[in-house]
Amino acid sequence: MGDQYRDTGWIGITLTLTILAFIYYNIRRASGGKDLFIRRISGLNALDEAVGRAAEMGRPVLMVPGLSGLTAQTMQALNIFTYVTRIAARFANPILLCCPDAAVYTVGQEIIRDVYQSEGLADRYDPDSVRFISDRQFAFAAGVSGLILREQAAATFFMGDFYAESLIFAETANGVGAIQVASSTEATQTPFFIAACDYVLIGDEFYAASAYLTRQPVLTGSLVGQDWSKLLVIFMLILGTILTTFEQRGMTDTEWKEGKWQTIEGGPRWKTFEDTTVSRWFNPSPEKIKIDRPKEEAPAAPAEAGQ
Amino acid sequence: MKNPATFAEKLQTCPKWALYLLLITVTSLPLWVPLNVPNKPKQDAMDFYEAIWKIPEGKTVLIASDWTKSTRGESEGSFSALVRILMRRNLKFAVYSTGDPQAPEVARNVVAKVNRERRAAGEREYKRFEDWLSLPFFANSEGTTGGIGNNIRAILGNAKDAAEGQAPASVLNSPVLKDVQKVQDLGLLVNVTASKTADIIVERLYGKVPLAFMVTGVMVPETSNYYASGQIKGLVGGLKGVYDLEQLMQYGINWQGPDGKTMVKSDRNGEVPGFAVDKKFLIGNGTMYYPALHGAVTLLILAVVVGNIGMFLGRKGGK
Amino acid sequence: MIPFAQIRTDFWTDLPGSSSANLKIIVGLLVGIGVIFALLRMSTQFRRPLIVGSTFIAGLYYILLWLWPKPIDRDPGEVATNPVEGLGFWLEDANPAVSQVRNIIAAFLIGLGVYSLLRIHVGKIAKQQKDWGFSLVLLVSMFGMAGVGFADWASRQGPEGAKLDNQANWGAINYVQDFLFDGLLQQMDAAMFSLIAFYILSAAYRAFRARSVEATILLGTAMILMLSLLGGISYLSDQAIEKMGGTDPNAFINNFRLTELAGWIQNSVQVASIRGLQFGIGIGLLALALRLWLSLEKMGNA
Amino acid sequence: MDRYTLIKTGFGVLATIGLYSVLYKENKFYRFWEHVFLGLASGFTLLVLWTDTLNPNWYKPMMGAAAEGADPAKPAYWAYIFLLPLGLMGYFVFSNRHNWISRIPIGIMLGLFSAEQISVWFNRYGSQIGDSLRPIVPTTWDSLTKPATQGLTPERIAEVNSQVYLSQAITNIVYIVTLLSVVSYFLFSFEIKSKFMVRFTTVGRWLLMIGFGAIFGSTVMMRFSLLIDRMYFIWIEFLKQGVLGQ
């Protein structure tokens, strides 16, 4: 059997697969026409308001999909921005999408044009409204804040992976009196958004957003699946806490080493967390198996091209 | 609110430029008159210091140096402190980076600086390729880190480094990596980082080699998760961490200094000697910047307090 | 020694610089371009399956690497003893190469980024719009940096390159590169980064008001943490409290020392709450990853 | 400090002041340095893409290398060439009829990324879940808090360390309650009716705020130290050591 399945290593795989199963099952369920409840997420009701106000002022809506390259977080941010863009398009409101990465720029162009076309407003679509600024963190920060100041953005949306630059954007936008809706998947940046922005999506709300906005079966279903998974985690936490509470007391004369029970040389000792069942679940210690295989005559040829 | 009328409003509407000017002043002045601030090292820093001090003789330390000038304020302090301790312990080390193409060069400069210090203090200088290796930058952090876990020699094998005035040779021939066949052969892997490489390293190397991190202040909360869950042996966080470490280098832990006094006590650590009895040798960035940090943070606290007082007075006035 | 002694070649690998290798490369390129032309002619109904399929297969590698039995106790240079192990070996070996594919494709896309910049700034210059001068500055410094940087890089290749680690051996080009990169670019990075300090001050002054319960909690915790950072203050206050506790090192009051308090908040409440947050984010990411891998959601739907 | 270094440092200071000037208001001086910055950055990006990504990870493996000095020859993996047309497909994004082709490379990148995320998920969160499981009932009432272990026998120390004292138990309870309440705050698809659960999630939000406050507090340190470092650069490195030559 494979290395990753020995001792308690399989638990991790099982857990991940279970969660994936939950999500997939609920997506199917929802696609099957079952409509599912989603609680109110305050920050999101602000989207329309923000864009609306920008329209009144006739000043642009500025969007930043985080600092990462083409990652899932960035895609999620772009998903939310398509919603924003759609409203802006209807209000005939200028938009600016600032990309930190060429691949993101490519996807951005594709998506934004799609939005205008699907709204039948292809004539309002301006390729320059999606811009590649720079993929160097602080050059990007300088460029974007320059844009915010010069274009006098009326509404700004910062969503995705934000790092140190978050506060530069937020304060600059605040300086020109823009409404700001923000969200960072980096827990370390959320407090700064909370301090400086009008509306903030905290943590998971960012992933829930597109489901909340569109109510598409796939997304709502997946959201329900995520909740099941969280309940599973909660259950594990409660069960595990109880287990440790009862196991981690008193002395022991055997300990779990290299995948089997062994008596401790030098007599019994006081139990620690390492002696509990849950500790073994999460820290597998597979026993050392020696397997001797024939060697190649010539030195090993390095990896094959990833095709 | 245009032209603030009442005192309460004045308190709440101090112009930004005035705040900024104050900030520049309080951060500049202390640099001209350095002084020694009393301090109490944090546990994670002590564990870090002990972890390095407990590395078996002759083991090699691998340093993932993922910082550049943009976080010089904190990272250079951490890195030079680390190098000072390793050199004091006569441990061989190799520096590589997956965080930023510039990291290796910045690291080289720091090592050179510490070497100059040692020359001045009349100690043995570290020879490139003999005592330490400057490995290149590897793009794709995930791939490289994972690779180091699976087969370290294959990953580092392509790299070259040159002793002073010699032609570059494969680093595998260097005494530094002589006894390192698997990643398990390393004494410790220290990540001096200002980026996500910390996560990547824990995900791919935890359990294969003891880890210790030196991170920027902003990363302390996230990385203390790893410290709390015992995935990393020790943690030096931000300027405070650097200052802690520099103090430990001075006073050790549970250790009687030359003056017979034990400055730092801890019941969670064993006795770890300090060094650098000569203070001049030890004026690192931490000791240099810490007073200015006091100025800045105090200003911040005052600003918040004043703002709130203003608000409350304003409310009273409103009633 | 014979240079290529240790190379075993097969269909996928060839002798470096050999004509057959170059031929294969050229043919491969032509085939690739041929594929593109084929795509242009391909009928519409195959488009989606093609995109979905390529996405799925690309992802399948990592899923296999994760689930396929990993070889036990593998040492460098060993040969697999059975097919299952064989695939396991192959997956492990391919990892370094596959993990580069994303970067390489992304690198090829940079042309689009440059196109975007040129589109905007050349346009400005051509139309002599407001600030066209600055656009010129941008383009000049861009191509300047790229050109000089490349020349510098080229001069550092080969066995002589290591010499240039020492400033004494620098030529003009190395100086210019050092000036542009080390003198300007990196300094501006640091400058922009440090701007945040100012913004923190103004943001805290403006927004940190005890208006609501939540705001007050946030404010209070931040204050305690900031105070505990001040070695001076925490040291003195701890001294004071230890005096209250008297000689007994286990005095209960010692738990309320500023450093203890800050540490306690960080290690219990903060770690816990952030972990709670992270679990949510992690599961959200997992769900999104699944949807993207199986192309369950259309790109950019909302 | 030699003249070159002095000039270099001088320009560094100038650029720093230029970017700082935006703090007062957006002005031409800032705009100049901003554009220099963006230009240099993009230029550098182009450079690094070749020197650090394409050349070492694509071109060299594709071409292979003859044996030189200590290191053996590397075979040519010609198949790498297929990545080039794959990348070029992205450029169809501006074509109105064939823009769909650009989704193939994008799809492949996303596929690789997503699948890797799935495969490393447990590595990141597993041990964090494991570490969150802590005993919440004290095992001894000898003392409320964990006694200091100075001057005790090793056995005694081991015992003390393994015991769960009241204060620790309380801490662990706080910990687990925080964790649970925060996680349940992020449940979206359940209509929470019971008074208790409503309170519980509200508490979760409050505890989250404590976490954020703590992060803010500890982040401040880094931001300021970077500013201090800039000031060190201007005052000490440039003015004191450079101009005044001390």
Side-chain angles (χ1 to χ4, degrees):
Chain A
M1 203 48 180
D3 225 352
Q4 74 267 49
Y5 296 102
R6 288 155 61 205
D7 193 25
T8 51
W10 52 271
I11 287 181
I13 293 170
T14 319
L15 180 62
T16 316
L17 290 177
T18 318
I19 293 178
L20 291 176
F22 281 173
I23 293 161
Y24 190 76
Y25 167 71
N26 280 288
I27 290 177
R28 284 272 150 272
R29 201 163 66 111
S31 314
K34 180 143 176 33
D35 69 338
L36 304 153
F37 167 84
I38 303 182
R39 78 162 160 84
R40 192 169 160 290
I41 300 174
S42 52
L44 289 171
N45 306 354
L47 291 181
D48 308 324
E49 176 200 344
V51 180
R53 218 188 75 180
E56 291 163 17
M57 298 176 158
R59 277 156 50 182
V61 173
L62 184 136
M63 298 171 277
V64 184
L67 195 74
S68 315
L70 192 60
T71 66
Q73 295 89 326
T74 316
M75 287 307 291
Q76 175 63 9
L78 289 172
N79 286 347
I80 300 175
F81 290 163
T82 49
Y83 179 85
V84 176
T85 312
R86 184 160 291 127
I87 312 170
R90 290 179 190 149
F91 287 125
N93 207 18
I95 65 160
L96 272 174
L97 177 58
C98 307
C99 304
D101 174 277
V104 176
Y105 169 76
T106 317
V107 182
Q109 282 288 359
E110 179 77 358
I111 289 178
I112 298 298
R113 193 209 348 233
D114 262 19
V115 173
Y116 279 90
Q117 277 168 353
S118 63
E119 289 291 304
L121 301 166
D123 51 322
R124 288 185 186 164
Y125 162 69
D126 166 17
D128 287 350
S129 63
V130 181
R131 297 190 186 181
F132 169 79
I133 306 292
S134 166
D135 69 353
R136 196 176 173 85
Q137 183 178 15
F138 289 104
F140 183 67
V144 171
S145 36
L147 272 177
I148 295 177
L149 291 165
R150 285 191 287 278
E151 307 283 335
Q152 291 287 308
T156 55
F157 299 86
F158 310 120
M159 299 194 168
D161 281 341
F162 283 88
Y163 301 91
E165 70 284 357
S166 59
L167 195 59
I168 300 182
F169 296 158
E171 273 297 285
T172 315
N174 176 277
V176 298
I179 288 198
Q180 313 172 61
V181 186
S183 158
S184 174
T185 52
E186 294 299 309
T188 45
Q189 296 309 323
T190 315
F192 297 96
F193 276 148
I194 292 182
C197 296
D198 304 300
Y199 303 96
V200 182
L201 299 180
I202 296 171
D204 209 7
E205 294 177 341
F206 170 67
Y207 287 108
S210 47
Y212 181 82
L213 292 170
T214 63
R215 307 284 165 159
Q216 281 183 18
V218 174
L219 301 176
T220 44
S222 149
L223 196 59
V224 176
Q226 295 171 37
D227 278 7
W228 287 21
S229 317
K230 285 175 204 155
L231 289 177
L232 178 67
V233 171
I234 292 179
F235 173 73
M236 285 173 63
L237 289 171
I238 296 174
L239 180 72
T241 309
I242 297 171
L243 272 175
T244 16
T245 308
F246 285 106
E247 278 186 309
Q248 189 181 337
R249 38 177 65 223
M251 316 267 289
T252 173
D253 51 3
T254 58
E255 63 186 348
W256 183 263
K257 252 207 193 137
E258 300 193 337
K260 51 175 109 51
W261 286 105
Q262 302 177 358
T263 43
I264 306 167
E265 57 281 353
R269 57 165 177 73
W270 289 91
K271 280 191 180 175
T272 62
F273 179 67
E274 282 64 38
D275 301 304
T276 61
T277 322
V278 285
S279 142
R280 280 203 306 286
W281 289 352
F282 293 101
N283 312 301
S285 61
E287 71 275 30
K288 301 273 171 293
I289 297 178
K290 292 290 308 161
I291 299 182
D292 294 321
R293 304 184 180 83
K295 293 257 178 192
E296 298 171 353
E297 62 294 338
E304 170 60 85
Q307 281 300 320
Chain B
M1 341 174 204
K2 286 264 176 293
N3 52 22
T6 72
F7 173 68
E9 281 171 357
K10 278 210 187 65
L11 283 183
Q12 292 185 74
T13 55
C14 163
K16 279 184 180 178
W17 60 264
L19 286 173
Y20 296 156
L21 219 55
L22 274 170
L23 183 56
I24 291 183
T25 329
V26 293
T27 45
S28 305
L29 291 182
L31 294 175
W32 293 90
V33 278
L35 40 82
N36 198 345
V37 187
N39 179 43
K40 185 158 170 254
K42 282 176 67 190
Q43 187 58 44
D44 49 11
M46 292 199 256
D47 289 353
F48 183 95
Y49 187 66
E50 189 173 24
I52 297 188
W53 210 266
K54 294 275 155 75
I55 297 171
E57 287 298 332
K59 286 269 189 186
T60 295
V61 174
L62 188 60
I63 304 177
S65 166
D66 300 316
W67 61 280
T68 57
K69 283 202 167 159
S70 56
T71 58
R72 195 183 71 155
E74 288 182 311
S75 308
E76 181 171 339
S78 317
F79 188 76
S80 45
L82 172 63
V83 171
R84 286 198 186 102
I85 306 175
L86 289 175
M87 289 187 173
R88 167 57 55 117
R89 280 229 39 212
N90 265 313
L91 292 169
K92 297 192 186 312
F93 60 89
V95 185
Y96 79 104
S97 171
T98 61
D100 188 296
Q102 262 48 55
E105 188 193 345
V106 195
R108 277 200 295 275
N109 296 339
V110 176
V111 176
K113 194 164 131 240
V114 179
N115 260 332
R116 281 199 295 279
E117 279 178 4
R118 288 173 67 88
R119 197 184 312 139
E123 308 195 22
R124 183 180 76 87
E125 284 182 58
Y126 257 49
K127 290 202 191 55
R128 180 117 168 236
F129 200 82
E130 293 301 315
D131 304 313
W132 76 283
L133 278 175
S134 170
L135 302 170
F137 161 75
F138 300 90
N140 179 297
S141 204
E142 291 85 351
T144 311
T145 315
I148 287 181
N150 294 334
N151 180 353
I152 184 169
R153 284 183 93 80
I155 293 290
L156 304 184
N158 308 333
K160 281 199 175 56
D161 194 23
E164 200 54 52
Q166 307 263 330
S170 163
V171 295
L172 296 183
N173 309 340
S174 145
V176 179
L177 293 179
K178 189 168 83 288
D179 304 332
V180 181
Q181 296 302 327
K182 295 203 174 87
V183 69
Q184 285 81 354
D185 300 334
L186 292 168
L188 186 69
L189 190 151
V190 184
N191 185 201
V192 185
T193 184
S195 66
K196 290 188 85 67
T197 52
D199 298 341
I200 295 166
I201 285 182
V202 168
E203 280 161 18
R204 289 166 180 72
L205 293 181
Y206 167 59
K208 294 182 172 172
V209 54
L211 304 170
F213 288 169
M214 306 179 101
V215 302
T216 51
V218 63
M219 296 173 67
V220 171
E222 280 178 336
T223 25
S224 39
N225 279 351
Y226 299 132
Y227 172 71
S229 57
Q231 286 161 294
I232 58 176
K233 294 258 168 291
L235 176 66
V236 166
L239 195 51
K240 167 87 166 102
V242 179
Y243 189 56
D244 287 350
L245 199 55
E246 286 173 1
Q247 296 255 304
L248 293 172
M249 289 157 72
Q250 181 76 9
Y251 302 121
I253 306 173
N254 305 325
W255 177 69
Q256 278 199 355
D259 50 2
K261 284 212 292 296
T262 307
M263 301 295 286
V264 182
K265 296 195 188 66
S266 155
D267 49 8
R268 279 190 47 183
N269 303 72
E271 178 182 344
V272 189
F275 61 94
V277 181
D278 166 14
K279 196 100 177 80
K280 274 194 76 47
F281 176 73
L282 246 196
I283 289 274
N285 306 39
T287 317
M288 180 78 87
Y289 293 176
Y290 204 48
L293 181 68
H294 276 66
V297 174
T298 318
L299 174 63
L300 178 59
I301 294 175
L302 282 180
V304 174
V305 171
V306 167
N308 281 283
I309 294 178
M311 185 182 71
F312 284 117
L313 290 181
R315 281 198 189 146
K316 283 221 188 67
K319 283 181 195 134
Chain C
M1 70 186 203
I2 317 138
F4 304 134
Q6 333 89 315
I7 296 186
R8 273 183 286 89
T9 63
D10 54 23
F11 175 71
W12 292 107
T13 62
D14 211 326
L15 295 180
S18 66
S19 52
S20 59
N22 298 341
L23 184 68
K24 281 177 177 171
I25 291 176
I26 293 164
V27 173
L29 185 57
L30 294 178
V31 171
I33 294 171
V35 170
I36 295 185
F37 278 104
L39 290 177
L40 294 178
R41 311 225 158 296
M42 198 178 63
S43 73
T44 337
Q45 79 255 27
F46 294 126
R47 293 180 175 179
R48 186 165 160 69
L50 188 67
I51 298 169
V52 173
S54 48
T55 311
F56 178 78
I57 291 171
L60 194 58
Y61 168 79
Y62 277 108
I63 299 300
L64 281 179
L65 181 66
W66 171 50
L67 292 178
W68 194 266
K70 279 193 184 54
I72 296 168
D73 178 50
R74 179 186 184 185
D75 296 323
E78 283 184 339
V79 215
T81 52
N82 61 44
V84 179
E85 222 170 52
L87 182 53
F89 277 25
W90 182 84
L91 288 168
E92 272 189 358
D93 294 339
N95 194 3
V98 177
S99 55
Q100 290 300 343
V101 170
R102 246 174 82 231
N103 307 21
I104 295 173
I105 298 179
F108 285 129
L109 292 180
I110 190 64
L112 287 163
V114 175
Y115 169 77
S116 161
L117 290 173
L118 292 179
R119 217 185 127 86
I120 288 162
H121 294 286
V122 172
K124 270 193 179 177
I125 297 171
K127 300 197 203 87
Q128 304 264 316
Q129 283 170 346
K130 177 165 170 294
D131 284 350
W132 67 274
F134 293 116
S135 299
L136 192 63
V137 170
L138 186 146
L139 294 182
V140 169
S141 38
M142 173 164 129
F143 290 111
M145 180 79 236
V148 174
F150 187 80
D152 170 80
W153 172 76
S155 72
R156 288 171 190 273
Q157 299 308 299
E160 295 307 295
K163 282 212 180 94
L164 291 175
D165 285 353
N166 173 354
Q167 191 173 346
N169 313 330
W170 279 7
I173 200 73
N174 307 103
Y175 273 106
V176 180
Q177 193 274 350
D178 178 70
F179 176 79
L180 290 181
F181 178 73
D182 193 60
L184 291 181
L185 186 52
Q186 290 205 311
Q187 298 299 354
M188 290 197 268
D189 270 336
M192 206 65 204
F193 206 161
S194 60
L195 269 185
I196 301 168
F198 296 97
Y199 290 136
I200 280 196
L201 182 58
S202 51
Y205 174 67
R206 186 186 76 245
F208 268 23
R209 300 284 159 80
R211 287 205 184 80
S212 64
V213 186
E214 289 181 10
T216 319
I217 295 174
L218 191 87
L219 180 63
T221 331
M223 282 295 184
I224 296 175
L225 260 289
M226 289 193 276
L227 283 172
S228 76
L229 286 182
L230 300 175
I233 296 199
S234 50
Y235 185 79
L236 296 177
S237 67
D238 287 9
Q239 293 294 336
I241 290 185
E242 273 158 22
K243 274 204 189 57
M244 283 190 246
T247 55
D248 171 15
N250 303 336
F252 186 68
I253 188 160
N254 282 1
N255 295 320
F256 296 96
R257 286 173 296 191
L258 190 53
T259 44
E260 297 286 333
L261 200 60
W264 186 82
I265 292 177
Q266 280 191 304
N267 295 331
S268 56
V269 182
Q270 179 197 321
V271 171
S273 56
I274 297 310
R275 268 187 192 167
L277 187 84
Q278 297 286 11
F279 289 159
I281 291 180
I283 292 173
L285 183 58
L286 201 57
L288 183 54
L290 181 72
R291 298 206 301 270
L292 287 172
W293 177 45
L294 302 178
S295 308
L296 291 176
E297 67 180 80
K298 172 170 153 295
M299 212 161 72
N301 56 359
Chain D
M1 195 186 276
D2 61 293
R3 185 189 272 99
Y4 167 69
T5 320
L6 184 57
I7 296 172
K8 191 172 108 178
T9 320
F11 271 88
V13 171
L14 209 59
T16 308
I17 297 172
L19 291 178
Y20 276 7
S21 70
V22 77
L23 287 170
Y24 185 66
K25 61 191 273 286
E26 207 274 348
N27 61 74
K28 282 206 151 37
F29 192 48
Y30 169 78
R31 221 173 292 168
F32 172 78
W33 285 110
E34 176 201 336
H35 283 80
V36 173
F37 194 7
L38 285 173
L40 291 178
S42 318
F44 191 72
T45 303
L46 289 178
L47 175 66
V48 172
L49 276 180
W50 174 255
T51 58
D52 292 328
T53 303
L54 289 182
N55 183 51
N57 302 324
W58 179 71
Y59 184 74
K60 278 191 174 158
M62 181 169 72
M63 289 307 186
E68 122 185 41
D71 53 339
K74 297 183 191 63
Y77 295 103
W78 60 274
Y80 270 97
I81 190 65
F82 289 131
L83 292 177
L84 178 57
L86 196 56
L88 294 182
M89 291 181 184
Y91 288 72
F92 280 89
V93 68
F94 286 106
S95 134
N96 285 328
R97 276 183 60 237
H98 300 295
N99 56 336
W100 70 274
I101 294 182
S102 67
R103 293 186 177 214
I104 296 175
I106 297 297
I108 291 179
M109 291 168 77
L110 286 175
L112 289 167
F113 175 84
S114 321
E116 204 206 358
Q117 288 302 315
I118 295 177
S119 60
V120 299
W121 185 82
F122 189 78
N123 296 24
R124 184 184 298 171
Y125 295 103
S127 48
Q128 290 190 24
I129 298 179
D131 171 66
S132 306
L133 311 172
R134 305 170 174 184
I136 53 173
V137 177
T139 56
T140 170
W141 299 90
D142 302 350
S143 99
L144 297 179
T145 64
K146 185 178 175 192
T149 50
Q150 281 125 327
L152 295 178
T153 61
E155 299 75 33
R156 184 85 182 88
I157 293 178
E159 179 182 354
V160 167
N161 288 336
S162 73
Q163 296 289 13
V164 182
Y165 293 87
L166 179 62
S167 59
Q168 291 170 306
I170 294 172
T171 306
N172 293 349
I173 292 174
V174 172
Y175 179 96
I176 194 70
V177 168
T178 312
L179 191 51
L180 291 176
S181 58
V182 170
V183 174
S184 41
Y185 169 75
F186 286 109
L187 292 173
F188 296 106
S189 60
F190 300 99
E191 198 158 17
I192 296 170
K193 295 217 179 58
S194 83
K195 264 236 169 355
F196 170 76
M197 277 313 289
V198 175
R199 286 223 187 79
F200 193 58
T201 49
T202 325
V203 169
R205 197 177 159 84
W206 289 354
L207 290 162
L208 206 51
M209 289 302 150
I210 295 187
F212 287 146
I215 288 179
F216 190 100
S218 48
T219 311
V220 159
M221 169 169 62
M222 171 198 197
R223 305 310 188 211
F224 282 146
S225 47
L226 294 183
L227 174 63
I228 295 166
D229 186 61
R230 279 296 89 190
M231 293 301 146
Y232 182 80
F233 171 70
I234 295 175
W235 299 123
I236 308 299
E237 285 182 6
F238 175 66
L239 194 60
K240 191 169 172 211
Q241 296 167 355
V243 179
L244 306 178
Q246 289 173 5

